[in-house]
Amino acid sequence: MNVAVTVNGTVYERDVEARKLLIHFLRDDIDLTGSHIGCDTGNCGACSVILDGTLVKSCMVLAVQANGSKVETVEGLADGEQLTALQQAFTDHHALQCGYCTPGMLMSATSLLRSNPSPSDEEIRKALQGNICRCTGYWNIFEAVKSVAR
Amino acid sequence: MTTIAPEKVEVGKSLLGESVPRKEDRRLTQGQGVFVDDIKRHGMGYLHFVRSPYAHAHITSIDVSKAEEIKGVYGTLTGEEVASLTDPFFQIASEPGGRIKDFSLAVGKVRFVGEPIVAVVAETRELARDASELVEVEYEPLDALVDARHALETDAPVLHDDAGGNLMWEGVYEWGDLDQAFAEADQVIKIDELHFHRFNSTPLECGGALVEYNRGTGQWTIHTNNQFPGFAAIMMGPAMRCGLDKLRFVTQDIGGGFGNKITSHPQLVTCCLLSRKLNRPIQWTEWRTDFHMSMSHGNERWFRDTEVAVKDDGTLLGFRTKALDDAGAWLRYEPLGGVIWAQVTPGMYRWRHIRVDFTQVATNKAPVSPNRGYSRMQHLWFTERVIDIVARELGLDPVDVRKRNYIRTEDMPYETPNGCIYDSGDYARMLDIALDLIGWDSMGEKRRDAESRGKRLGVGIGSTLDSGTNNFGQSRMINPELQFSGNNEVATVKLDIFGEIVVTLGTTPQGQGHETTASQVVAEILNCSLDDVHVRAGHDSYWNSHAGFSGTYASQFAVTGLSAVKGATEMLREEIKKLASVIFGGVPVEALELAEGGVRIKDNPEAFLPFMACGAIINANNAGLPEDLGVTLNCRYVYRPPFEVPDIERKFGNLTLTYAAQIHVAVVEVDPETGYYDIVDYAAVDDCGKRINPQIVEGQVMGATAQAIGAVMHETFEYDEDGNLLTPNFYDYHVPHALDMPPLHTGAIESPSPFTPLGTKGMGEGGGAGIHAVCAAIQDATGKIVTDSHNPYHRVWELMR
């Protein structure tokens, strides 16, 4: 099936199998490998992207469902060399180690801060509960998100 | 979150000990890391494994024809082909485990659910998966052996006929004088059975590889996330009947390892054979379910018939126990777990009379392999359990029993009963800091408060020794014929033509920040900025220098890796001075110093030669230099820790160079009606000697703590009686998420190691402390002896019934 998906501002037109997951479309068809796969059950959140303004796990969406939509991935966060405040905060607070969950974490936190620029500690935790990290224990991630909350 | 750090001693400005931001982060926060599944090649085929649905069965026939007929399927590989193209993997074990024949795909028989039988390669991931469904395998099911405690019974199903039974390895470890200890004891505490459960660290990135075969040179390039290529190479080369120069291992970013990515050599062999057979690059990425079913479970272990000799005042004299270890279906790194625990034989305590009868058996479950805290975690959990059970039986305070028996700071360096040398530490002080962090003084009040809400509060202590920098000579205790000993790691540091300082490491980092900490050491020695130092990301066994034990495992980088970096950088510093001495017309090297990205005369700083000039002269403008200059500005250093071969007969010797320590304290509140509990407060205190980058150290402490909390509360690889894994994905295998994390206080002291060039100790594996801290807290809250390392709510409820 032919799809046209706008990813980080660029329109990508591809012929995809109906069963292809959005995450595989992003990684395999258009070579945006920043979003990752950590499970096959929708638990880990490493593939989190923003689809038409809503945070989704891109392994739970078919590529054909994204036809005509706007997708934001980790590759679209920074403005050229300029990191977002959140990306910088992840470095400053040592909120990543292996970096595999980081793209998904950043997208979840970005989505949270857009809808709620001043989240409480509890709201930060709830917003990140769908993203698994095996390296950090999350504490530094909470600190990083908190530091850019207004 | 609160943090207590040691007081900083200012001795001039030093980069060593500074929490500088990580060099890795810029690419990783922008999705520009290169993980193995990110690598693509023209015409590559995706590999999918057909896996066993049975825990134990004869394979009576395999038919791949229907799969191969599908358009877009490139080909298949079966166990029969593997058995003709390769030799069985080299076995670490002596008799009887050493007799088993292990190939990269099942041959004739399957021995665990999820064991790879056939590999199918196709144009897309989806097609490879579909075509796998068309492979027809006929089985003749056999009874499954799931509980290791029945493995040696006469009617138990036997996994490996070659071994003549399920016993893989056994050994008796005895030090001191047990008879005397038990004669002197006021009391002998008996513990029937303690059980350490099966789990692992489940790195978020599963296993994978992209393998290319160069038909012209006969060489394979293996892009992978294997974390110990040196080990993979010595397993793969002989099996594939090729020299190690034919196996090029390349890693860049690895999405967590924790030991679980050491033993992927069977899958890598399959990829290699298929890339040659099909003449195309092979891409293999494991699915989460594949990982859970088949990769690197942690060692499950029982401690049975334990007897502890103690005095009435809580003085520990010694213990004896029978350890039974479940290796799973194959010995992929085992039976090394049968000796690795001995690095920390007495735990943190001064008892001198110890006997462990160690037995390892095979079962119809996934093979075990190193998991963060490998084999020591099980043993240290056992010793900690003994402390709290003894304290309870004697009516003593677990804090007092610990302090009475801790190896004291004035005893350091301390020789354990089996000849290990604990290099430095102050366990009692660490415990005091940890207790302060959770408000020990006001615990009575907190207990009453919990009771007023119908809850029971409990406090528990757990400790681990994160022994690092292995002496591989300990493997000879498992098999005297092995020719391994010592350890090594290598680094190269060079000054290139435009003045770039380029560092290559033999290591395979998975989040530990090696690019950053290596840069700190280099910049400190060359007196330049961190930005001047370029550490190549990842490992490449063609282009990076590497040594036999190169890799990232077993808490050793801060010692082996950074000592290699230090050695190579000091060589480079001396070469730069030697060159400058010539350029400055014979100024003695003693009169020179490195500063501000160059070399200068101390008394005449105007006479300055920037690194760029040094690099250019040696590489591109070298006419007229003295013939005997001996300067290449490309320096390689192999760090070799000071080890002797252990005494195999007595099982005696120093098995690791450094002993980082962790003391954790957990406070839990248990609901007596349901067994539900919360960790309401938590402290983790760490001592890994000199810290090069305290933030990175603290990050590891936090991560290990989270894994411990997951293991004790939720994570388990549980099998049913037929050998089906009940937790094959993240639905059933619950790893902690953001809402599961308790409040955390961290603390640190620094007891520099007297044995390492930088005073550092390897660290990162100290999470086991948390498993015990929670077990002890549950025991304190419920008043019932906790005998298992895994305590989900229902088990706590059962405990209280």
Side-chain angles (χ1 to χ4, degrees):
Chain A
M1 297 175 74
N2 288 313
V3 295
V5 187
T6 305
V7 184
N8 303 326
T10 303
V11 182
Y12 295 87
E13 293 181 40
R14 295 288 187 278
D15 181 17
V16 299
E17 276 192 272
R19 62 176 169 172
K20 177 160 279 189
L21 301 174
L22 179 58
I23 181 63
H24 285 142
F25 173 78
L26 294 171
R27 292 181 50 77
D28 295 343
D29 289 42
I30 65 172
D31 276 336
L32 289 177
T33 54
S35 307
H36 297 144
I37 300 170
C39 69
D40 34 35
T41 47
N43 290 77
C44 85
C47 63
S48 300
V49 300
I50 295 172
L51 176 68
D52 290 333
T54 303
L55 183 72
V56 297
K57 292 180 175 176
S58 61
C59 72
M60 295 279 112
V61 178
L62 296 168
V64 293
Q65 290 176 285
N67 186 26
S69 294
K70 288 191 173 64
V71 176
E72 296 167 71
T73 72
V74 68
E75 288 94 339
L77 290 178
D79 182 5
E81 288 295 295
Q82 186 61 46
L83 300 182
T84 64
L86 189 66
Q87 286 172 310
Q88 187 58 48
F90 265 55
T91 288
D92 295 343
H93 292 271
H94 189 35
L96 66 149
Q97 290 179 35
C98 79
Y100 197 78
C101 75
T102 308
M105 282 287 177
L106 286 167
M107 297 318 287
S108 293
T110 298
S111 174
L112 165 71
L113 293 169
R114 278 184 196 167
S115 62
N116 178 5
S118 310
S120 66
D121 289 0
E122 192 59 19
E123 285 168 336
I124 292 172
R125 286 174 179 241
K126 277 187 178 156
L128 299 179
Q129 67 164 311
N131 293 76
I132 291 174
C133 172
R134 291 303 273 160
C135 295
T136 66
Y138 306 98
W139 291 283
N140 282 344
I141 297 174
F142 303 151
E143 295 294 318
V145 177
K146 209 160 109 181
S147 75
V148 293
R150 286 201 295 274
Chain B
M1 208 170 68
T2 52
T3 304
I4 291 185
E7 282 176 32
K8 254 190 155 169
V9 187
E10 287 293 337
V11 193
K13 192 174 165 297
S14 172
L15 281 168
L16 306 183
E18 284 295 316
S19 293
V20 304
R22 295 201 322 166
K23 282 180 172 258
E24 294 85 348
D25 290 357
R26 198 164 175 86
R27 66 172 183 271
L28 294 173
T29 54
Q30 295 183 86
Q32 291 169 348
V34 179
F35 296 87
V36 66
D37 189 70
D38 301 343
I39 303 167
K40 297 183 174 65
R41 290 292 181 270
H42 178 71
M44 70 185 189
Y46 292 88
L47 184 154
H48 192 83
F49 286 109
V50 177
R51 293 173 183 276
S52 172
Y54 290 104
H56 200 189
H58 287 300
I59 301 170
T60 54
S61 72
I62 296 176
D63 183 357
V64 296
S65 57
K66 284 184 185 150
E68 291 197 327
E69 281 165 15
I70 305 282
K71 185 171 177 288
V73 171
Y74 296 141
T76 62
L77 189 75
T78 64
E80 293 285 305
E81 288 174 271
V82 169
S84 70
L85 295 168
T86 67
D87 290 320
F89 290 117
F90 151 73
Q91 289 294 323
I92 292 167
S94 53
E95 304 280 304
R99 292 200 297 263
I100 68 177
K101 291 188 177 56
D102 183 15
F103 290 97
S104 71
L105 292 172
V107 180
K109 198 178 177 190
V110 288
R111 293 173 175 85
F112 64 97
V113 169
E115 180 163 21
I117 301 167
V118 175
V120 177
V121 178
E123 195 175 355
T124 66
R125 293 176 206 271
E126 295 81 5
L127 186 59
R129 216 173 181 179
D130 286 352
S132 297
E133 301 280 317
L134 298 175
V135 173
E136 291 173 354
V137 185
E138 299 288 337
Y139 301 91
E140 187 184 294
L142 299 166
D143 288 340
L145 171 64
V146 177
D147 188 334
R149 291 170 294 185
H150 301 311
L152 301 180
E153 290 169 5
T154 47
D155 56 347
V158 172
L159 273 80
H160 300 282
D161 291 336
D162 292 326
N166 295 316
L167 177 68
M168 293 291 105
W169 187 81
E170 63 183 342
V172 175
Y173 296 82
E174 184 169 339
W175 305 282
D177 185 339
L178 272 293
D179 289 340
Q180 186 199 327
F182 280 89
E184 271 180 31
D186 294 327
Q187 303 210 36
V188 175
I189 309 294
K190 297 187 177 183
I191 308 165
D192 288 344
E193 186 172 276
L194 296 170
H195 174 240
F196 193 91
H197 74 298
R198 184 179 261 254
F199 63 95
N200 76 9
S201 298
T202 59
L204 198 55
E205 180 204 40
C206 294
L210 184 289
V211 178
E212 299 169 276
Y213 181 64
N214 183 325
R215 205 159 284 275
T217 62
Q219 292 162 324
W220 283 275
T221 298
I222 303 159
H223 298 269
T224 179
N225 53 18
N226 183 291
Q227 67 182 94
F228 192 173
F231 179 78
I234 59 170
M235 283 291 155
M236 292 169 66
M240 292 166 62
R241 303 163 187 161
C242 70
L244 300 195
D245 72 304
K246 297 287 186 275
L247 300 170
R248 175 189 177 193
F249 290 89
V250 186
T251 75
Q252 189 182 312
D253 297 303
I254 298 180
F258 315 112
N260 304 159
K261 287 175 177 165
I262 291 178
T263 53
S264 57
H265 53 274
Q267 292 90 336
L268 298 181
V269 166
T270 301
C271 293
C272 286
L273 296 178
L274 276 160
S275 66
R276 185 174 63 187
K277 176 179 177 179
L278 305 178
N279 198 21
R280 63 172 70 242
I282 299 296
Q283 201 283 346
W284 162 63
T285 297
E286 223 170 24
W287 297 87
R288 172 58 52 190
T289 305
D290 298 339
F291 176 91
H292 281 217
M293 287 197 303
S294 63
M295 283 286 266
S296 300
H297 292 185
N299 296 54
E300 183 175 6
R301 194 173 296 170
W302 285 264
F303 299 90
R304 305 160 94 187
D305 304 330
T306 302
E307 294 183 324
V308 191
V310 287
K311 303 292 259 184
D312 282 333
D313 65 2
T315 302
L316 301 161
L317 302 175
F319 68 83
R320 52 188 166 218
T321 190
K322 293 173 184 148
L324 175 68
D325 197 71
D326 176 356
W330 294 104
L331 306 179
R332 294 271 159 84
Y333 200 81
E334 296 305 319
L336 285 176
V339 65
I340 298 282
W341 64 270
Q343 297 167 4
V344 293
T345 295
M348 289 184 164
Y349 308 102
R350 293 201 307 278
W351 38 19
R352 302 294 306 176
H353 311 285
I354 295 173
R355 176 176 168 128
V356 177
D357 293 58
F358 197 99
T359 304
Q360 189 176 62
V361 297
T363 60
N364 291 113
K365 296 192 274 188
V368 305
S369 293
N371 179 49
R372 196 174 202 169
Y374 178 42
S375 194
R376 293 98 87 211
M377 176 165 59
Q378 288 81 346
H379 181 74
L380 291 164
W381 177 82
F382 162 75
T383 56
E384 290 293 288
R385 222 39 328 254
V386 165
I387 300 298
D388 280 83
I389 292 171
V390 164
R392 184 182 183 278
E393 299 293 313
L394 299 183
L396 298 173
D397 182 342
V399 173
D400 293 339
V401 175
R402 283 183 168 78
K403 288 192 170 174
R404 177 177 292 278
N405 290 285
Y406 274 149
I407 296 161
R408 296 159 300 200
T409 187
E410 61 266 31
D411 300 329
M412 299 288 185
Y414 176 83
E415 185 179 272
T416 68
N418 61 321
C420 291
I421 312 292
Y422 289 2
D423 48 348
S424 60
D426 189 344
Y427 309 142
R429 188 166 147 234
M430 290 172 72
L431 178 56
D432 283 337
I433 295 171
L435 291 172
D436 271 352
L437 283 168
I438 52 102
W440 179 245
D441 291 342
S442 57
M443 209 44 73
E445 200 179 306
K446 286 173 181 158
R447 280 184 203 275
R448 285 188 293 279
D449 172 60
E451 275 161 28
S452 74
R453 288 179 283 109
K455 300 284 178 63
R456 292 190 200 159
L457 185 136
V459 187
I461 299 162
S463 58
T464 37
L465 288 168
D466 192 356
S467 50
T469 305
N470 279 328
N471 176 355
F472 279 86
Q474 63 201 278
S475 63
R476 299 184 189 202
M477 294 185 194
I478 291 291
N479 181 352
E481 289 179 15
L482 294 178
Q483 296 298 313
F484 299 117
S485 70
N487 198 331
N488 53 15
E489 189 52 275
V490 62
T492 63
V493 182
K494 68 173 177 171
L495 187 55
D496 233 328
I497 191 162
F498 293 128
E500 313 93 325
I501 299 154
V502 180
V503 182
T504 74
L505 305 171
T507 58
T508 51
Q510 314 118 37
Q512 297 91 341
H514 291 183
E515 291 163 53
T516 305
T517 48
S519 297
Q520 288 179 260
V521 171
V522 173
E524 173 75 12
I525 294 168
L526 298 184
N527 208 358
C528 62
S529 92
L530 288 166
D531 292 339
D532 294 336
V533 185
H534 306 270
V535 182
R536 293 244 179 95
H539 176 96
D540 186 326
S541 58
Y542 265 29
W543 307 120
N544 291 22
S545 204
H546 58 101
F549 296 115
S550 282
T552 298
Y553 56 91
S555 297
Q556 62 176 23
F557 179 73
V559 175
T560 56
L562 290 183
S563 299
V565 169
K566 177 175 184 282
T569 312
E570 286 171 348
M571 286 167 70
L572 180 65
R573 179 185 63 198
E574 296 314 304
E575 287 201 1
I576 291 170
K577 284 188 189 173
K578 217 163 151 186
L579 175 66
S581 156
V582 172
I583 303 298
F584 289 143
V587 177
V589 291
E590 298 76 35
L592 299 172
E593 65 181 4
L594 270 62
E596 293 169 20
V599 55
R600 67 189 179 194
I601 299 172
K602 286 180 196 165
D603 297 337
N604 178 16
E606 306 257 303
F608 178 77
L609 195 62
F611 287 156
M612 183 175 172
C614 299
I617 290 167
I618 284 295
N619 286 292
N621 188 13
N622 51 40
L625 288 177
E627 269 181 38
D628 60 351
L629 182 62
V631 169
T632 63
L633 300 184
N634 188 350
C635 300
R636 174 179 191 263
Y637 184 86
V638 179
Y639 169 71
R640 198 175 68 237
F643 281 130
E644 301 293 328
V645 177
D647 179 335
I648 306 308
E649 289 300 312
R650 292 167 60 211
K651 296 189 169 70
F652 188 93
N654 194 17
L655 307 185
T656 49
L657 191 66
T658 63
Y659 290 83
Q662 298 75 36
I663 292 187
H664 291 205
V665 179
V667 185
V668 304
E669 280 188 12
V670 180
D671 178 351
E673 299 294 317
T674 63
Y676 178 86
Y677 62 98
D678 273 320
I679 301 172
V680 294
D681 211 352
Y682 197 101
V685 178
D686 196 85
D687 179 2
C688 63
K690 169 72 181 170
R691 296 172 304 164
I692 301 299
N693 187 317
Q695 194 177 45
I696 288 178
V697 167
E698 190 192 48
Q700 295 261 325
V701 170
M702 290 172 163
T705 300
Q707 292 194 350
I709 290 169
V712 69
M713 295 183 73
H714 308 294
E715 298 177 38
T716 178
F717 287 129
E718 203 76 40
Y719 285 81
D720 71 11
E721 58 188 17
D722 296 322
N724 296 300
L725 178 62
L726 301 175
T727 51
N729 54 52
F730 279 149
Y731 270 121
D732 301 312
Y733 189 99
H734 176 85
V735 299
H737 58 58
L739 290 170
D740 293 323
M741 306 320 295
L744 174 71
H745 314 281
T746 61
I749 66 170
E750 289 191 356
S751 308
S753 174
F755 303 146
T756 65
L758 291 159
T760 51
K761 302 182 184 190
M763 61 85 56
E765 294 187 87
I771 298 176
H772 190 268
V774 174
C775 290
I778 292 169
Q779 178 167 309
D780 185 39
T782 61
K784 298 293 174 68
I785 290 178
V786 171
T787 58
D788 206 294
S789 57
H790 186 54
N791 294 282
Y793 308 132
H794 68 82
R795 185 164 285 155
V796 176
W797 181 71
E798 283 162 9
L799 204 60
M800 290 185 296
R801 285 178 75 190

